[in-house]
Amino acid sequence: MRELVEAVLAGTRDPEVTGVQVREVAALAATVPDVLGADGYLFGTPANFGYMSGALKHFFDTVYYPCLGTVAGRPFGLWVHGSDDTAGAVRSVLKLTGGMGLEQVAAPLELSGAPDAAAREAGYELGGTLAASLMA
């Protein structure tokens, strides 16, 4: 997961992206003020037993209702890494982000197995796409 996080964050720092500040906040550390203070979101999770990680689920449990109606229309991107099945994790995150009214800027990045160069490039593109959507 760390390799993918680094690739996604590198994409947000692409030289063509200007005027965008990025903060990395772990799911268990993220708070309602973090969500309300952000203009867009990148969510990443391992697929655990066909579902998002417990940490990301806890994040959504914590921020969903306090942020409902306030963050609608803000862009987000998602990547999910699993051994073999990522569909359930993707579906669960998309259900929650849809309920919050967040706008998906790219198709979810679903990865299985060890990250290779193509996976890192796809992560870079995801980060760059979200960051570019936020440029003033």
Side-chain angles (χ1 to χ4, degrees), residues 83-123:
S83 299
D84 57 5
D85 179 22
T86 58
V90 168
R91 187 172 41 255
S92 62
V93 173
L94 292 181
K95 184 172 185 174
L96 291 166
T97 55
M100 293 175 79
L102 300 179
E103 297 292 328
Q104 190 176 337
V105 297
L109 178 55
E110 299 181 60
L111 304 164
S112 296
D116 58 11
R120 289 187 294 277
E121 178 61 28

Side-chain angles (χ1 to χ4, degrees), residues 24-112:
E24 178 185 358
V25 182
L28 290 175
T31 63
V32 169
D34 291 322
V35 175
L36 295 176
D39 295 323
Y41 315 94
L42 285 163
F43 302 115
T45 184
N48 294 332
F49 309 110
Y51 198 68
M52 73 179 92
S53 68
L56 190 58
K57 174 68 166 70
H58 174 77
F59 163 79
F60 281 115
D61 286 345
T62 302
V63 305
Y64 187 88
Y65 287 110
C67 296
L68 200 57
T70 307
V71 296
R74 295 182 189 178
F76 82 95
L78 169 65
W79 75 95
V80 177
H81 180 264
S83 299
D84 57 5
D85 179 22
T86 58
V90 168
R91 187 172 41 255
S92 62
V93 173
L94 292 181
K95 184 172 185 174
L96 291 166
T97 55
M100 293 175 79
L102 300 179
E103 297 292 328
Q104 190 176 337
V105 297
L109 178 55
E110 299 181 60
L111 304 164
S112 296

